[in-house]
Amino acid sequence: MNPSIKKYLKILLPILLGVFLIWYSLSKVPLTELLAYFKNANYSWIILGMSFGLLSHLSRAYRWQFLLEPLGYKVRLSNSIMAVFAAYLINYTIPRAGEVARASVLTTYEDVPFEKGFGTIVSERIADLLVMVFIIAITLFIQFDFIYQFFVEKFNTLHIAIGLIVLSVLAFVGMNFIKSSKTTFALKIRTFVSGLLEGVLSIFKMKKKWAFIGHTFFIWSMYIAMFYVTSFSLTELDNIPFGAILIGFISASFSIAATNGGIGSYPIAVYAAFSLFAIPEAPSIAFGWIVWTSQTLLLVLGGGLSLILLPVFNKNRSVKISNNKDEV
């Protein structure tokens, strides 16, 4: 495939998927009914959820400094915060472009080489991936009885046993193939796993590793708290089990990668998770839209202000750097 066509498809397909999912959610819950949920929602809980979201973003910006300091760079917290918010906003336009922009901000205003700044962002993503796996494992443990019963109702015990055996065999064969094969795909998998392990080990080599780990768990605790307290904004979700919250949160988190910032996919992912607990579709979809809209508003405001204020806050520094270059 032509590289330019492939590039445009990567931008266009998530947008088209988002538009389709918006239409799909509105076919389930008419716009007038959805607006009624927004109108009747308790905004005290929504604002509290936004506050938890804000704390997670500030913690992320502060945590970033633990990765930059061992490289010899003392980045100002204000620039770190604005870089994080700007990255979130840019991700709403072009998927994953925010990470590139975030590293570029440090290159422009803190003289951090792009490749080093981007490398620390990759390390962050590895830490976040591990915490997500941990949350999934905890959820499976807490909700084991429910998940087991769900599969037993859908499939009989023999089918489940056969399925587990088949998955185990496929996993064994797949691991051996990846380990011994010299194909491009296998090499990419081995490189990814090697990088993942290297990133994990590098975390434990940091001087402030426990502070980094503490902030990582704090960030994700705030994400879950944001999702949980916002559910109190709708009276229809008063008795929602915490297990549904966890599964809904996991589902919604993965949906963000499907479309730009989770537009359209976020409420559908929440609805899909909540439907496992027989929660009606209307409040499920409405809740998904309320969470997504409130957090998007926070990121758009924070990202917009950051893009405006970055050159203002760094005006004197930019002049100083320019003068130094002229002297050289």
Side-chain angles (χ1 to χ4, degrees), residues 117-231:
F118 191 78
T120 60
I121 295 171
V122 173
S123 296
E124 273 192 349
R125 291 291 179 249
I126 291 172
D128 290 333
L129 175 62
L130 290 175
V131 175
M132 174 56 84
V133 171
F134 176 76
I135 292 172
I136 293 172
I138 292 295
T139 302
L140 289 174
F141 177 77
I142 294 173
Q143 293 297 122
F144 177 80
D145 290 339
F146 171 80
I147 294 170
Y148 177 77
Q149 188 62 35
F150 173 79
F151 280 103
V152 166
E153 289 177 358
K154 297 291 183 180
F155 313 97
N156 61 44
T157 306
L158 178 61
H159 289 162
I160 294 173
I162 293 172
L164 290 174
I165 292 171
V166 171
L167 286 175
S168 299
V169 171
L170 289 175
F172 178 77
V173 173
M175 287 174 65
N176 278 280
F177 170 77
I178 291 169
K179 187 177 180 180
S180 59
S181 176
K182 295 182 179 180
T183 62
T184 304
F185 174 75
L187 288 173
K188 286 183 177 180
I189 296 295
R190 288 204 295 270
T191 302
F192 172 77
V193 173
S194 176
L196 185 64
L197 292 174
E198 185 179 351
V200 172
L201 293 175
S202 68
I203 292 172
F204 290 96
K205 294 177 182 178
M206 287 190 301
K207 291 182 179 179
K208 298 180 179 179
K209 57 180 176 292
W210 295 116
F212 178 88
I213 293 170
H215 272 276
T216 301
F217 278 99
F218 176 79
I219 290 167
W220 285 88
S221 296
M222 290 298 98
Y223 286 160
I224 295 173
M226 170 273 295
F227 195 85
Y228 182 48
V229 301
T230 306
S231 70

Side-chain angles (χ1 to χ4, degrees), residues 33-43 233-236 290:
E33 186 178 352
L34 186 62
L35 292 175
Y37 277 104
F38 272 83
K39 182 180 178 181
N40 298 324
N42 186 331
Y43 280 85
S233 65
L234 296 181
T235 56
E236 292 83 356
I290 288 172

Side-chain angles (χ1 to χ4, degrees), residues 82-133:
M82 288 187 283
V84 166
F85 273 102
Y88 280 127
L89 177 60
I90 292 171
N91 274 336
Y92 279 91
T93 57
I94 303 176
R96 289 172 292 281
E99 283 70 20
V100 175
R102 184 174 158 192
S104 299
V105 167
L106 291 196
T107 301
T108 303
Y109 298 113
E110 294 286 353
D111 298 328
V112 178
F114 175 83
E115 62 277 7
K116 292 187 177 181
F118 191 78
T120 60
I121 295 171
V122 173
S123 296
E124 273 192 349
R125 291 291 179 249
I126 291 172
D128 290 333
L129 175 62
L130 290 175
V131 175
M132 174 56 84
V133 171

